[in-house]
Amino acid sequence: MSDVVEKTLSALPSLLSLDSNAGAGKLSSTSKLGNLIRGITELTSKHDEEKLIKKELAAIKEQVASPNTTMRQMKEIMVRAIYCEMLGYQASVSYIHAIKLAQQGSVLEKRLGYLAVSLFLNESDEFLLLLVNTVLKDLQSTNLNEVCMALTAVSQMFPKDMIPAILPIVEEKLTHPKEVIRRKAVLALYKFYLIAPNQVQHIHSKFRKALCDKDPGVMTASLHIYLQLVKESPESYKDLTVSFVTILRQVVGGKLPMDFNYHSVPAPWLQIQLLRILAYLGKEDQGTSEMMYDVLEESLRRAEMNHNITYAILYECVKSIYTVYPKAELLEKAAKCIGNFVLSPKINLKYLGLKALTYVVAQDPNLALPHQMTIIECLDHSDIIIKRATLELLFRITNAQNVTVIVEKMLEFLRQSSNDYSTVDLVGKVAELAEKYSPDNGWFVQTMNSVFSLGGDRMQPDIPNNFLRLLAEGFDSVEEDRQLRLFAVDSYVLLLQGETASLPQCFLQVISWVLGEYAHLRPDQASDPGKVMRLLTRLLDQRHASAQTRRWILSALTKLCSSPVSIALARDVGERYFGSLDTVLRQRAHELMILSQDAGLRGRVLSAEGRLEHVEVDSSLSFLDGHVSEALAAGAAPYKPPHQRQEELAHEKALSLEPYGLSLPVSLSTCSITDRLTDRQSPTRLSISSSVSGNSTELSLKGGSTTLKLDGVKRVWGKEGYLVQQPKEVVEETPLPPTELPSPLGSFQSPVSQTQTASPGPEPDQERQQLASSLFVGVGTHHSVCLMGRTEAAPQRFRRKPKGTGSSSGTSEHSSNSSHSSSGTAAGNTLDSTTAATGQQISQHALGHPPVNGNPIVETPGPLPPVRDGGVAAEIPTGHTDSGTLADPNEDPVPVRPRDLPLISHLPAELSGLARSKLTTLCPGPDPGLALSSCRVYKEDALVLVVFVSNNSDSTLHRVALRFTSKQLEVSCVSGDLVEEVKGHSVATCQYAVVMMRASVDVELAGLVSYQRVPGQPRATPFSLRLSLKHFIRPLTVSTGEYGKMWLSFSHDVKQNLRLITAGDQSPLTATLDTLRDRLHLHVVDIIGSEGIVACRLLRGQPCLLHCRVHADSLAVWLRSPIPEFPDSLLYHCQKALAEA
Amino acid sequence: MQFMLLFSRQGKLRLQKWYVPQADKEKKKITRELVQTVLARKPKMCSFLEWRDLKVVYKRYASLYFCCAIEDQDNELITLEIIHRYVELLDKYFGSVCELDIIFNFEKAYFILDEFLLGGEAQETSKKNVLKAIEQADLLQESETTFASSCVKLIL
């Protein structure tokens, strides 16, 4: 730390010595606050303090209520109230008076009123609405102080939906003659931008003006906005790079007034802000980066004084240099700079040095080498934070050779640490390293044991899941697998023989599963079959095992009961848990009992060979199809998913227990209680009235109750029984490139002879040197210089075996999957060389399907809907586009895949720029020479269906015509209704505009293609495709006001709870609405607090409005539309979109 | 910046400013946890903490701890200097500040903080300007008091 700071530090204690006269002297002795504070200091117990504050709060309550209290006294009361709040006691009675004080007090009282408001209230507080008028008045005041106060208050918290009310006035302040006002106005706008970006979109040009303000303070303030803007979309602000570079150059060159110097460094805050902006702008952009190299270098050079603040700039500068497009010379200087940090004796700088290293080793592991000794010192540092940072750094440089040492260090740390947050994080990292670089089985199992026992039940659930999957799926060699499993079993047996009380539940569960599954590998299993069984039984009876764990143990026991000894044991256990109160336990106990009594059943279920066979689980329960369709035919109610049942159950009761929120006056006046009670979707909140037209509820009842029930289930069950579902998933995955397949083992050649890395610096003791050589072995040396990105060169020991080749694992679905994806790529490769080639083979390969007639991937678990003549094959491609997110409209524009190329190149030029779906094969037909494919193009005003007729034979096709029939869709031909001739090996395209007449979830569009191979002999082939409502939805751009009007005028409404999506730092509401917007083409009109309004329309049809509100952890959605069936169908798609997200 | 806390060596909160809305319960929990963690640290240890998903920067001046929580991207060192600048401002305003000044005049400390940091961002980094703004507001106070007292005299 610099001398200046040191001096301040040393001077302060004497100044701050608790000299009672110093501060208290300034306060009048009679002051009530003074008395209060003194009273509290004299107290000794927390209990007394509580009593005193209670008394004080009572006094405050009485005083604020008294009409005789003047504003001046009120101010004094407020100060006391703030004090009480700070001590952790609620002084909520004073909130409203704080607002009053801000409203009515003189300037000074106002100031305190605003302060109290900003300390008492959150921005979501409804009290704040009462402040809006005051703010509005003060903003327009002629008194500068009042304007300042109002702006200060606004920049701290302001109700989001009230921003439009004051926005024009705040904007106006941007041109105020006083710079302090301009500055505060800029910061207020920054705040608005943060809480409601779309509200200030129109004034981006004014931000530019602020950036060019003659006052450096205003300009600095505007950089906060720019940092945010540039972070969100660097592309849009590339043109400002030159300006930022110029400003930074001027600042670094000392062109600013001396006022802005901080410890003789020119405007450090400004510099850091600019460096951060430049980093975002230059990231992955060579051109832009080149503009800033000079100024970055200058910043590095200028910041040479030995003071904290220069280090702050240096640190930021290094970060920027490593973020922007790399330049070798600069990187070298930055690396040297990091060295200064790491080697600094000051602990803060050392910490940041480690941080910076962690950041840069990803790009060049060599950088860590010169600092080996320091890193090792830090590893044993007494400060846990430094230790933790060091481990983080080591984590980044781990490789197959140093993994044991590093993991050991991490585990050592974990044993000492008590912080949950870092434990969970670090445990995950250890597990990752162990899986990635493990040198041998024994080590791996031991390390994972430590992970499980240290991580406890707080760790990420995917750690045990991954571990078990790894054991189950195995690797390349059978022998290896056996050894690993045996190792695990042995070590667990050993563990169970000892004390188990300290083991976390999730570890016990892992142990039970592994023992149940692989105990038979033990050589002594044959001689003493009851051993493992006894150990598990002992565990079962221990008190610390949770019910969940007991279930795992019972399952394990079930798997183990094969020999006479274990059967006896099993029977014993079964009898004991036969009457357990836990239903799952009881069920398992029953199973165990039956199994132990029935030798035949045992033989079938627990055969030794059976272990290796993968059990096909029919998750769709298709064997029940017959029964279900019979029941349906006999008039049974269709299946409803649990959430829907619950929902309806809740509605039947009709009495909502949730409190009613704010309501518009209109809703109260027109809503009768009976309406509420009969309404099946009993609203939890009257925010906007549902019944302006009297009969609306009745109508929605009729329209909703029948359709909705069917909608929820239509996907899986139909009148005909089970609808084809499984093939969809299979096909959906096939076109994907096989990214999940691990890279081949041979990709990494690690030189083994790198144990001797030079260690500079003073002679360290032997032990440390040894540690260094073991820690840094293999680091960096072989990646000579890799500036861009980290080379992923890891010998993944535990590579997952490519699925599908396995016998013990990998469902048939998976295996078909991988074989298809490989055939898909193979086809893709061929395509690259022969793009010009035409013909059916290519187009079919290109789509990732084998010739459709003999489609092997079709598993039809139930009776097929008899509607389609095209049969199975026609169904698959449609399902493939409809069910997958890949084909979703929001994914547009779909990147042109090479495999799509041949047909897509025939897409009419006017449509090529538009969003479109992937190609689907339509018609197998009896004629191999004819192939139909279709593609949906989403136009703003229409859904265009483009059908490609490919003639794959040598002969010419004549009079090719397509006919569509559908009750719900209106199909009009745009072009190519009748093609006179399609030459051999060429493609004709036909375009149709499709409109959905009546909103429904899915619509079958049946078509017939007629053509003549030999003139005069017409032939025809039927085909069909499925279109879904979401293809016909377009965003409806309305303002909040218009929305409100429309809402009141629509009569059909439906209400439902949907699940919320959580994503990153977004609020769940925003994330959910964004997902819906992206997937369904909705328009998010506005988001206010925990409510959001969304609008959309049906193509050439009516609108539908959604009103969403976060309620506990679900989203209460209320849909309204002029047509009855639209909300129901849309709701179905919303549910689906959220389920897929 | 997410929030700023000032607390004494005994763990008593002296000032709290939250820039990101938090529920009262959460505020109390955060304060309690953080005060405990910071007080447990030894003087030679570094001034930064990784705490939950935030970075915490703290510094002790005499009997007071100043503690700021910042986001992942923020610069720790400059935050340390923000704290220092705030202390300088307090020192200048109160004339060699001490804990008691802040206890008894905490509203003033808040006013200064509001002039210096606004919405969690450094608003004005020029010391002169911050103090000017505060003085202006205070001047008003004095003129008002004198005006009031003269009024009282007149009435009497």
Side-chain angles (χ1 to χ4, degrees), chain A residues 126-141:
Chain A
E126 276 158 358
F127 270 133
L128 270 186
L129 292 174
L130 299 172
L131 196 70
V132 174
N133 249 331
T134 316
V135 166
L136 204 58
K137 202 180 79 200
D138 286 339
L139 280 177
Q140 287 159 315
S141 161

Side-chain angles (χ1 to χ4, degrees), chain A residues 94-106:
Chain A
S94 51
Y95 294 176
I96 188 78
H97 295 278
I99 292 175
K100 215 163 118 192
L101 191 63
Q103 205 164 27
Q104 298 168 358
S106 68

Side-chain angles (χ1 to χ4, degrees), chain A residues 106-177:
Chain A
S106 68
V107 179
L108 261 184
E109 290 144 14
K110 206 183 249 307
R111 188 181 178 208
L112 199 95
Y114 272 126
L115 176 69
V117 170
S118 75
L119 291 172
F120 289 156
L121 302 180
N122 265 342
E123 60 192 12
S124 50
D125 217 303
E126 276 158 358
F127 270 133
L128 270 186
L129 292 174
L130 299 172
L131 196 70
V132 174
N133 249 331
T134 316
V135 166
L136 204 58
K137 202 180 79 200
D138 286 339
L139 280 177
Q140 287 159 315
S141 161
T142 48
N143 184 334
L144 286 189
N145 278 301
E146 285 184 343
V147 180
C148 275
M149 280 175 218
L151 283 173
T152 308
V154 161
S155 344
Q156 298 189 53
M157 26 108 240
F158 197 73
K160 196 156 122 193
D161 32 345
M162 286 316 232
I163 289 175
I166 59 160
L167 190 60
I169 309 174
V170 176
E171 260 181 82
E172 207 174 88
K173 300 291 176 216
L174 286 175
T175 51
H176 198 276

Side-chain angles (χ1 to χ4, degrees), chain A residues 616-888:
Chain A
E616 290 278 346
V617 177
D618 186 356
S619 59
S620 61
L621 304 179
S622 56
F623 57 89
L624 288 173
D625 283 347
H627 178 72
V628 170
S629 48
E630 259 171 47
L632 277 176
Y639 173 73
K640 278 179 213 152
H643 67 94
Q644 202 179 333
R645 262 177 283 162
Q646 232 157 24
E647 182 81 3
E648 282 172 20
L649 209 67
H651 288 319
E652 270 164 32
K653 288 183 196 148
L655 274 178
S656 164
L657 293 174
E658 290 135 343
Y660 290 119
L662 276 182
S663 55
L664 296 175
V666 57
S667 66
L668 277 179
S669 60
T670 52
C671 262
S672 66
I673 296 298
T674 40
D675 267 350
R676 297 273 142 234
L677 288 173
T678 49
D679 190 350
R680 135 188 101 86
Q681 274 92 21
S682 152
T684 51
R685 185 175 165 141
L686 303 176
S687 58
I688 310 176
S689 157
S690 77
S691 44
V692 167
S693 57
N695 59 350
S696 66
T697 36
E698 203 183 17
L699 272 173
S700 76
L701 247 171
K702 278 184 201 154
S705 54
T706 47
T707 26
L708 183 73
K709 281 177 194 162
L710 284 174
D711 284 347
V713 292
K714 198 164 183 179
R715 227 155 32 120
V716 190
W717 302 101
K719 285 219 173 76
E720 306 82 20
Y722 184 73
L723 296 176
V724 186
Q725 182 73 173
Q726 219 163 313
K728 291 186 185 178
E729 283 162 38
V730 179
V731 184
E732 181 194 338
E733 286 180 47
T734 37
L736 283 173
T739 40
E740 279 165 301
L741 297 180
S743 58
L745 190 63
S747 68
F748 178 76
Q749 294 88 30
S750 167
V752 193
S753 59
Q754 273 152 15
T755 17
Q756 278 78 43
T757 32
S759 55
E763 288 287 292
D765 55 281
Q766 199 65 32
E767 201 182 321
R768 283 189 170 173
Q769 194 130 35
Q770 229 167 9
L771 182 57
S773 59
S774 52
L775 272 179
F776 295 92
V777 57
V779 171
T781 25
H782 51 276
H783 318 267
S784 51
V785 179
C786 47
L787 297 176
M788 291 300 288
R790 184 183 185 184
T791 43
E792 196 51 61
Q796 282 257 28
R797 175 180 172 77
F798 294 127
R799 299 183 306 110
R800 302 245 157 74
K801 190 157 43 174
K803 286 168 184 163
T805 50
S807 52
S808 67
S809 67
T811 59
S812 63
E813 188 176 299
H814 277 136
S815 51
S816 67
N817 207 345
S818 63
S819 65
H820 279 300
S821 52
S822 56
S823 82
T825 30
N829 289 341
T830 0
L831 268 178
D832 283 341
S833 49
T834 57
T835 334
T838 53
Q840 189 189 23
Q841 282 97 336
I842 297 278
S843 71
Q844 274 176 344
H845 273 286
L847 283 161
H849 302 304
V852 206
N853 292 333
N855 198 330
I857 46 172
V858 185
E859 296 159 30
T860 45
L864 276 169
V867 204
R868 268 151 271 141
D869 295 344
V872 188
E875 168 67 8
I876 296 154
T878 344
H880 144 71
T881 33
D882 282 353
S883 65
T885 45
L886 277 173
D888 232 61

Side-chain angles (χ1 to χ4, degrees), chain A residues 982-1039:
Chain A
V982 182
K983 291 227 160 60
H985 298 295
S986 71
V987 178
T989 44
C990 317
Q991 287 181 48
Y992 296 88
V994 189
V995 175
M996 196 176 252
M997 309 286 284
R998 217 170 142 262
S1000 51
V1001 175
D1002 275 316
V1003 176
E1004 185 81 32
L1005 179 60
L1008 188 74
V1009 56
S1010 58
Y1011 58 98
Q1012 300 178 1
R1013 231 178 237 297
V1014 183
Q1017 290 181 18
R1019 298 165 75 169
T1021 309
F1023 63 91
S1024 76
L1025 70 161
R1026 191 161 268 277
L1027 292 169
S1028 131
L1029 176 73
K1030 66 181 178 186
H1031 304 144
F1032 297 94
I1033 295 177
R1034 296 291 178 272
L1036 177 68
T1037 323
V1038 288
S1039 70

Side-chain angles (χ1 to χ4, degrees), chain B residues 28-59:
Chain B
K28 273 188 202 163
K29 196 169 159 229
I30 292 175
T31 314
R32 198 175 49 237
E33 268 182 48
L34 210 53
V35 167
Q36 264 175 16
T37 322
V38 170
L39 287 180
R41 289 179 61 80
K42 299 195 177 66
K44 286 280 176 206
M45 294 182 169
C46 76
S47 308
F48 314 125
L49 284 179
E50 276 156 44
W51 185 78
R52 296 199 192 172
D53 51 347
L54 292 177
K55 294 198 288 197
V56 170
V57 177
Y58 73 92
K59 193 163 165 78

